[in-house]
Amino acid sequence: IFICEDAETDLGVMDSDGGMGTPYTYTWTFNGQQIGTGYTLSYQPQQSGSYCVTITDQCESPAVQDCIEVTVEDPLVVQLESDTTKGCFPADIVFNVGNDPSTYSLASWQFSDGGFELNASQLDHTFSLPGVYDVGLTLVSPAGCVYEGWFENYITVYSNPTAGYHASPQPTTAPETTIDFFDYSLGSVVEWYWTFDSINNLGESFEQNPRFEFPIDHGGLYPVTLMVTDANGCVDRVTRWIEIHDIFNVFIPNTFTPNSDGFNDVLFVQGTDIDPNRFKFTVFDRWGEEVFETTDPSIAWTGSFQGGDHYTPDGMYIWHLIVYSISTAERHEITGHVNMIR
């Protein structure tokens, strides 16, 4: 028979008869050493060997003996492997049974974070919170023997740093586009990596508190990402938007020549930080009569009278502009004049 180490064996006589005098006496031995008497017996062998029972009666009949061989399974030392024993949360770690696959038929896992897995030689377990964790592994041999291994403080999961920064001045207006960045990250940070405009990658820096100049000729919203790494190799990142307003600027020429020569043929408004949805441009003649009006900054005056087939004469005209800043929503009302020369 085949038994596990430290397993108790129940021994018993299946049948006995003959002889000249009952009752019988049953004497049990293991590897020649007497271990007990009786019709049945429980015994825990520490090694492989032979059980024998010797039966005698109350007369002088010859004693009889029967034996059976017992094999005690060599104990299995539970071993486990993992791709790492340290990580940043959430830590995703791969575990494997370290024993020869032929020495076990079933493997079960237990983790001190409450996780468990049945019948898996390999598994992927995620530790969702920082801490130190124990790992338990139970193997069942082909003979049904159970072996347990408990590995205390086997996995260490670190807290991540917290990335954070402050930028100044914010918001600002072009061309004052130089921004100072101040690291406000938490944790034992040892590395800083900045990406200025992480969409178009205008620049980068490894300084803790860098300074960066954005384009000075126009405004915009720029995503700036800070990635920090701590002493344990754990990473965190944060992205914030840097706001740079266009400087409000309007240009309207004081002369135009609508003679179809392809040069300076129309009158229109140019500028920056102009809200196209809140725009009104009106032109009057010297007597105050309206000759042109538009609420679309892409539409220019060609010199026609109120968009018709007739054209106004050469001379000076008064224009009036109402427009709003995109950046500040400030209303601007501007009046000027233009000379039309054909």
Side-chain angles (χ1 to χ4, degrees):
I1 62 174
F2 197 88
I3 64 173
C4 305
E5 184 185 42
D6 296 328
E8 193 168 74
T9 306
D10 294 325
L11 305 171
V13 177
M14 296 183 62
D15 188 26
S16 59
D17 59 19
M20 299 300 294
T22 58
Y24 301 118
T25 300
Y26 305 93
T27 303
W28 298 86
T29 61
F30 183 73
N31 286 345
Q33 300 292 322
Q34 183 174 329
I35 58 174
T37 60
Y39 193 76
T40 61
L41 178 70
S42 293
Y43 183 70
Q44 188 179 63
Q46 300 301 310
Q47 59 186 6
S48 301
S50 298
Y51 283 112
C52 292
V53 59
T54 301
I55 305 176
T56 58
D57 61 12
Q58 301 301 312
C59 299
E60 296 181 357
S61 301
V64 294
Q65 186 180 72
D66 192 22
C67 298
I68 187 173
E69 292 296 322
V70 174
T71 300
V72 178
E73 182 176 85
D74 291 334
L76 186 64
V77 179
V78 176
Q79 302 175 39
L80 70 81
E81 300 171 348
S82 60
D83 59 346
T84 184
T85 59
K86 298 177 180 179
C88 310
F89 89 95
D92 195 27
I93 298 178
V94 178
F95 293 90
N96 290 278
V97 177
N99 299 80
D100 187 330
S102 66
T103 61
Y104 66 93
S105 58
L106 182 69
S108 300
W109 301 82
Q110 183 178 358
F111 302 93
S112 60
D113 66 349
F116 65 91
E117 186 74 27
L118 299 177
N119 197 19
S121 296
Q122 182 186 75
L123 78 156
D124 191 336
H125 185 73
T126 300
F127 297 89
S128 301
L129 296 173
V132 179
Y133 297 96
D134 307 330
V135 179
L137 174 58
T138 299
L139 301 178
V140 180
S141 72
C145 301
V146 178
Y147 302 98
E148 296 181 343
W150 188 252
F151 302 84
E152 294 184 349
N153 302 328
Y154 186 78
I155 298 295
T156 300
V157 180
Y158 299 113
S159 297
N160 295 330
T162 301
Y165 69 84
H166 172 70
S168 180
Q170 271 299 282
T172 187
T173 301
E176 303 299 327
T177 61
T178 298
I179 308 295
D180 289 304
F181 293 88
F182 304 95
D183 169 51
Y184 282 174
S185 302
L186 302 178
S188 54
V189 177
V190 295
E191 293 180 6
W192 298 262
Y193 177 62
W194 300 81
T195 305
F196 304 107
D197 190 350
S198 47
I199 297 176
N200 300 304
N201 195 16
L202 295 179
E204 60 185 14
S205 175
F206 294 94
E207 298 179 21
Q208 182 178 3
N209 300 302
R211 170 178 289 182
F212 187 78
E213 183 180 68
F214 291 89
I216 64 173
D217 57 344
H218 63 272
L221 289 173
Y222 301 96
V224 174
T225 299
L226 168 62
M227 183 177 73
V228 295
T229 305
D230 69 10
N232 296 316
C234 300
V235 174
D236 189 35
R237 56 176 53 83
V238 62
T239 299
R240 294 177 179 167
W241 291 86
I242 299 302
E243 184 177 0
I244 298 177
H245 298 160
D246 270 318
I247 186 169
F248 180 79
N249 184 37
V250 171
F251 172 74
I252 301 174
N254 58 16
T255 302
F256 83 114
T257 58
N259 54 13
S260 301
D261 66 353
F263 179 75
N264 200 25
D265 284 331
V266 295
L267 177 72
F268 61 94
V269 179
Q270 293 179 296
T272 56
D273 195 34
I274 294 174
D275 187 347
N277 298 314
R278 294 189 291 179
F279 175 92
K280 184 178 180 182
F281 181 57
T282 310
V283 180
F284 304 91
D285 64 18
R286 67 182 65 189
W287 297 281
E289 184 178 9
E290 180 182 305
V291 297
F292 174 75
E293 181 181 280
T294 182
T295 57
D296 185 345
S298 66
I299 296 178
W301 183 38
T302 61
S304 65
F305 179 77
Q306 296 183 353
D309 296 330
H310 299 286
Y311 288 87
T312 58
D314 290 359
M316 185 182 73
Y317 292 84
I318 307 300
W319 55 260
H320 182 251
L321 175 66
I322 299 175
V323 68
Y324 287 78
S325 164
I326 296 177
S327 301
T328 65
E330 182 180 358
R331 182 180 188 273
H332 298 271
E333 188 167 350
I334 310 169
T335 299
H337 67 274
V338 62
N339 287 316
M340 182 170 63
I341 303 174
R342 285 188 173 85

